[in-house]
Amino acid sequence: EDKVVQSPLSLVVHEGDTVTLNCSYEVTNFRSLLWYKQEKKAPTFLFMLTSSGIEKKSGRLSSILDKKELFSILNITATQTGDSAVYLCAVRLDFGGSQGNLIFGKGTKLSVKP
Amino acid sequence: DADVTQTPRNRITKTGKRIMLECSQTKGHDRMYWYRQDPGLGLRLIYYSFDVKDINKGEISDGYSVSRQAQAKFSLSLESAIPNQTALYFCATSDGGQGVGQPQHFGDGTRLSIL
């Protein structure tokens, strides 16, 4: 069964801290891995990763994929209260009629205290 | 205006009622999806459609049906709602095409409560 596992499920830090969120996966046919940020409404897209070892970066957020060990990490440096959200990891499948579908992890709830 | 619009935003109804959730998009994407989100369970795929004539069941389609009225419109129906269908429902769209694909873009969700 295809699955995506995120850890930790929740995390509380103080402003200025650096955090690392983890995502491991077991899927039959991997195409890409995506990270989303969900505040109170719609998940918003952060990164899509397809190749091992190539870091994607956007401001204080960065992410990298390891296709050999089947995991990805999302790093947030110098956290701010506005980073408080649920971070979702999803793997895109690449086979048959499910091509392009996403399998989501349960998310990591990040709380950043002032 | 939002690219992916869901209506209604909130709905409270009773067991046994028929409910329709609507989704429309202005992104011109050919693919559309319906998910539900429950606390502690993440997002789970209900139905997906790669174009107007192509509709497929997702992980948890029992108790649901969909209609793709046009490229821009995808509705989700609960024929006879039951309390365990209480959840936050999201519509999403993506562009098709080859290669590694494009990310899905989500609407703001419909919070559905069934009493």
Side-chain angles (χ1 to χ4, degrees):
Chain A
E1 180 185 348
D2 296 326
K3 63 179 180 180
V4 176
V5 178
Q6 292 186 245
S7 63
L9 292 181
S10 66
L11 186 59
V12 180
V13 300
H14 289 91
E15 272 192 316
D17 289 348
T18 293
V19 298
T20 298
L21 310 183
N22 303 293
C23 176
S24 64
Y25 60 91
E26 292 180 29
V27 300
T28 48
N29 280 276
F30 175 91
R31 194 178 197 195
S32 57
L33 185 144
L34 294 86
W35 284 97
Y36 286 84
K37 177 182 181 182
Q38 184 179 21
E39 295 174 89
K40 294 188 176 180
K41 297 181 180 179
T44 54
F45 172 72
L46 294 175
F47 299 112
M48 183 166 68
L49 303 154
T50 58
S51 301
S52 283
I54 299 176
E55 185 182 56
K56 294 269 183 130
K57 194 171 174 65
S58 176
R60 296 175 295 102
L61 277 66
S62 63
S63 183
I64 198 161
L65 173 68
D66 186 327
K67 291 170 72 174
K68 182 179 179 183
E69 299 298 330
L70 309 183
F71 78 91
S72 174
I73 59 172
L74 175 68
N75 279 320
I76 309 175
T77 59
T79 52
Q80 302 171 357
T81 55
D83 295 325
S84 295
V86 175
Y87 290 84
L88 299 169
C89 172
V91 170
R92 183 192 299 276
L93 304 180
D94 185 19
F95 69 95
S98 299
Q99 186 179 42
N101 288 354
L102 297 178
I103 305 293
F104 280 87
K106 295 180 179 181
T108 293
K109 183 177 181 180
L110 175 65
S111 300
V112 182
K113 295 186 175 297
Chain B
D1 287 340
D3 294 322
V4 183
T5 302
Q6 292 184 233
T7 56
R9 294 296 311 281
N10 293 281
R11 177 80 184 271
I12 301 173
T13 191
K14 294 182 179 179
T15 297
K17 294 291 187 181
R18 184 178 187 275
I19 300 160
M20 180 180 287
L21 309 184
E22 311 262 8
C23 177
S24 62
Q25 53 124 341
T26 58
K27 299 184 78 67
H29 289 166
D30 49 1
R31 299 184 177 193
M32 298 187 75
Y33 309 81
W34 276 104
Y35 292 89
R36 65 178 279 177
Q37 186 175 39
D38 299 274
L41 292 179
L43 282 155
R44 293 181 292 166
L45 183 64
I46 306 172
Y47 269 95
Y48 60 103
S49 170
F50 284 176
D51 65 40
V52 174
K53 296 181 180 179
D54 180 39
I55 292 178
N56 304 279
K57 294 182 177 180
E59 178 188 354
I60 52 163
S61 59
D62 287 350
Y64 302 94
S65 62
V66 292
S67 174
R68 185 84 182 263
Q69 300 95 326
Q71 188 198 32
K73 295 183 183 295
F74 193 36
S75 60
L76 176 72
S77 294
L78 288 69
E79 296 302 324
S80 180
I82 56 177
N84 74 3
Q85 291 177 312
T86 293
L88 182 57
Y89 288 83
F90 285 104
C91 174
T93 74
S94 70
D95 200 1
Q98 301 303 311
V100 298
Q102 299 299 318
Q104 292 180 15
H105 298 268
F106 288 80
D108 282 345
T110 294
R111 188 166 295 280
L112 179 62
S113 297
I114 300 164
L115 307 178

